[in-house]
Every structure is written in C-alpha cells, then in structure tokens.
Amino acid sequence: MKRLARVRAGREQRTPVTALFWRICLLNGVVFTLGTLILALSPATVSARLRLTEVPVLVIGLAVILTANALALRTSLAPLDELVTAMRRVDPPRRAVRFDRRASGDFHRLIETFNAMLDRLEAERSAAGATALAAQEGERQRIARELHDEIGQSLTVALLRLKRVVDRAPEELRDEVTDAQETVRGCLDEVRGIASRLRPDVLDDLGLHSAVTALCHEFTRSAGISVHREVDPSISRLDPAVELVCYRIAQESLTNVLRHSGADQVSLRLAGHDDSVVLRVHDNGCGGVLTEGAGIRGMRERAMLVDATLTITTSEDTGTTVELVVPVHREAHIGEPV
C-alpha cells in the first residue's frame, strides 16, 4: 500500500514537461533498440571500409528508423495540436467546449489544467457579470419606481388640476387648456411606458408568459411592426433569474429589429420542453450582421448566467434569427436573481 501511494504521489508530482521528456526518450529508445536488433539479426554487414554497395543498406535502415521515430512522435504529440486548436476556439463571451482528456495519454494533467483554467475563468466571469447585471437591474428598478411613484403622481395631479381648469376656463381658452391637458396625459403615458420597459411589474406578478405577451403588444403599438407570437401556455413559473434573462433577450432582440433590420414582420416563439425553454425571435429584415455590438454581447453574458445557449444566425436573404435555449432542470448560477 505504501509503495502504491509513493507511485501515485510520484505521478502527481510529475510535470507535463517531465512527462514529455520521458515520453520522447522512451520512444526514441524503443525505435533505436528495434533498429539495432534488426541490423544485428539481419544478414547485412558493413565492412571496415564502407563499400558503395553497402550504402543503400545503411540509407534504408536509417530511413526506416527515422520514419518510425517520426510516426511515433507524431502520434504521441497529436494531443498538443488538438489542445492548440481548442485554445484558439476559446471566445470570452461564449462558453468554451472542454477538451476530452481520456484520449490524451500522458498529457492528461496538461488537459486537466487547461480545463480547470477555463472553469475558473468562466466562474469569475459569471460572478462578475452577475454582480454587474444585478446592480444594473437594481438601478433600473429604483428608477422605474421613482418614475412611477414620483413623476407619475405629479403628472396625475397636474392632469386633475387641468381638468378643473378646463371646466372653469372661458370658451376662448378652453381649446388651449384641453391641448395642454392632452400633452400632460401623453407625458404620463410615456413615463409609465418607460417605467414598464425598465422593470416590468407583470414579469414579477404574472410570469414570463404574460410579460412576453405584453412586450409584443407594446412593440407593435410603438414600432408599427407586426409580431406573430406563439407562447406555450403550459410554461409554468420559472426561476426569476431565468424569466428575467428570457425577457431581456426578447426585449433586446426586438429593439435590434427596430434599430437595424428594417423588417416589417417579426415572429416570436416561446416553447417549453421537458428539460428546457426555447425562445426564438426571427425577422425578415436585411440581416448580414458581421460585428457584435454591446447589445449582443450583453445578451451572451445574460445567457451564460443561466447556463443557456444563445445562437444568432443572420442572412441577407432570410433575415436574422435569435435562439435561446435555457435548461430548466438546473439552477441558475446566480447568487440572487438579477
């Protein structure tokens, strides 16, 4: 048992450089040993003074040894090429695919270190993103509450007073006071709309289904773009973080449609499956998005917070599609709802 423990401890202390060194030495030793045995057991001989007829035998033997050595080293070091390819695929806004260490031979510790580094980076990024988004949502909620409670109430009082003025105003001034009353009423509606976009109360009170429905109605009313909506009524209340991520990504997708796509039709589909919720927003606009701005980066950060997969496909012929797949069988990696 003690000997086995010492062997395991020695393996754990062996660094990737040491493992690579011994791997190359062992491969070279095996190849050269086999080459020596073959030359020793073969009928070929070499004179003290090298003859011209013996040169091809030596060249062929050397070529065989070098080829075998090259093939053995190439096969042995292949995991390093795969690791470099995996490193090049790492993109901070996206979740990186982990490298499979089972086929990596002696490089398993190097692969484990690389995967652990990715885990730490993504954990730190998720924690920092969750903190920033939580602060952002808290500030949005505070501003929305102040708009609704203070400015909204002030405008409501002004509207009631203008109504009394309209009732008492002379005939020649009544039209002007009525216009002022309508202006204040429009301001009140705009303030309520801004407060709702900052922090929709319907999301907290009634859930994602009602919030997405209200979002589509508001988008159609304000932008004049029809939204074909398919919302699965069987979707129950989800984790607050998941609901907020789905709502914000749907909101940002519709905002991008209005600002950039030039579309006149949008389809929004929210479907529930056994272990996931899928949100899909498609427009018939110009498409062809080549660079990702702050809005798309924000959507990717939000998706990572709940272990979701965000896919954006765009084409000048078919428009742009944003698809979010959220696993609902796992808890969101957020300390508290954002």
Side-chain angles (χ1 to χ4, degrees):
M1 292 297 293
K2 293 182 179 180
R3 183 178 179 182
L4 181 60
R6 286 197 297 268
V7 171
R8 290 179 177 176
R11 290 179 178 177
E12 291 178 355
Q13 292 175 358
R14 187 172 60 176
T15 64
V17 175
T18 305
L20 180 60
F21 170 76
W22 285 111
R23 173 185 283 262
I24 294 176
C25 288
L26 180 61
L27 287 175
N28 287 333
V30 170
V31 171
F32 294 151
T33 301
L34 290 176
T36 302
L37 289 176
I38 292 173
L39 290 177
L41 299 176
S42 67
T45 59
V46 179
S47 303
R49 287 188 177 183
L50 186 64
R51 298 177 182 177
L52 187 61
T53 56
E54 296 172 344
V55 172
V57 176
L58 296 177
V59 171
I60 293 174
L62 179 62
V64 170
I65 291 176
L66 292 179
T67 302
N69 188 47
L71 291 176
L73 285 176
R74 181 61 181 171
T75 303
S76 178
L77 300 179
L80 289 180
D81 288 336
E82 298 177 8
L83 180 61
V84 171
T85 302
M87 290 179 177
R88 289 175 177 172
R89 287 199 302 263
V90 173
D91 188 7
R94 296 174 174 85
R95 188 172 299 281
V97 178
R98 299 300 184 267
F99 193 84
D100 187 5
R101 68 179 182 89
R102 289 175 294 180
S104 60
D106 288 342
F107 296 109
H108 66 277
R109 287 202 62 203
L110 180 61
I111 304 302
E112 286 181 349
T113 304
F114 174 71
N115 290 338
M117 180 193 69
L118 291 180
D119 292 338
R120 290 194 304 271
L121 289 176
E122 290 184 359
E124 290 295 330
R125 186 170 63 245
S126 297
T131 302
L133 291 175
Q136 184 185 75
E137 289 296 334
E139 188 66 13
R140 284 185 174 185
Q141 189 172 14
R142 183 188 65 80
I143 295 174
R145 187 182 300 112
E146 290 182 357
L147 286 174
H148 184 273
D149 295 343
E150 297 181 12
I151 299 179
Q153 289 181 3
S154 299
L155 290 175
T156 301
V157 172
L159 194 61
L160 294 175
R161 291 182 177 178
L162 282 174
K163 185 178 184 308
R164 296 178 58 187
V165 172
V166 170
D167 296 337
R168 300 180 181 180
E171 189 65 29
E172 61 272 13
L173 297 177
R174 185 164 298 175
D175 292 339
E176 295 183 10
V177 178
T178 301
D179 292 340
Q181 185 182 20
E182 293 301 322
T183 300
V184 174
R185 182 177 286 109
C187 293
L188 179 60
D189 294 338
E190 186 65 25
V191 167
R192 288 174 176 171
I194 294 174
S196 177
R197 289 191 294 271
L198 286 173
R199 182 70 182 191
D201 293 334
V202 65
L203 181 64
D204 298 327
D205 298 337
L206 301 179
L208 184 60
H209 182 284
S210 300
V212 169
T213 301
L215 177 65
C216 293
H217 283 306
E218 175 63 22
F219 179 78
T220 301
R221 184 190 66 81
S222 60
I225 300 176
S226 61
V227 179
H228 178 68
R229 184 183 72 258
E230 295 182 20
V231 181
D232 189 353
S234 64
I235 297 178
S236 59
R237 292 302 301 265
L238 305 173
D239 185 276
V242 172
E243 291 188 343
L244 185 57
V245 166
C246 292
Y247 180 85
R248 290 302 185 198
I249 290 180
Q251 186 181 46
E252 183 65 30
S253 300
L254 293 177
T255 301
N256 289 338
V257 169
L258 178 61
R259 292 178 178 175
H260 308 295
S261 71
D264 56 8
Q265 284 186 344
V266 182
S267 64
L268 186 148
R269 186 172 184 269
L270 182 65
H273 300 282
D274 293 337
D275 58 353
S276 64
V277 172
V278 179
L279 171 69
R280 186 176 184 271
V281 181
H282 173 74
D283 66 74
N284 63 346
C286 58
V289 178
L290 300 179
T291 58
E292 296 187 357
I296 295 180
R297 288 196 298 269
M299 288 194 293
R300 294 197 184 281
E301 290 176 359
R302 288 184 180 276
M304 290 186 65
L305 295 180
V306 292
D307 287 336
T309 302
L310 180 69
T311 306
I312 301 177
T313 56
T314 180
S315 170
E316 295 182 357
D317 298 328
T318 59
T320 302
T321 301
V322 178
E323 185 175 82
L324 178 73
V325 181
V326 186
V328 295
H329 60 281
R330 289 179 289 179
E331 294 181 0
H333 294 313
I334 304 178
E336 56 183 322
V338 296

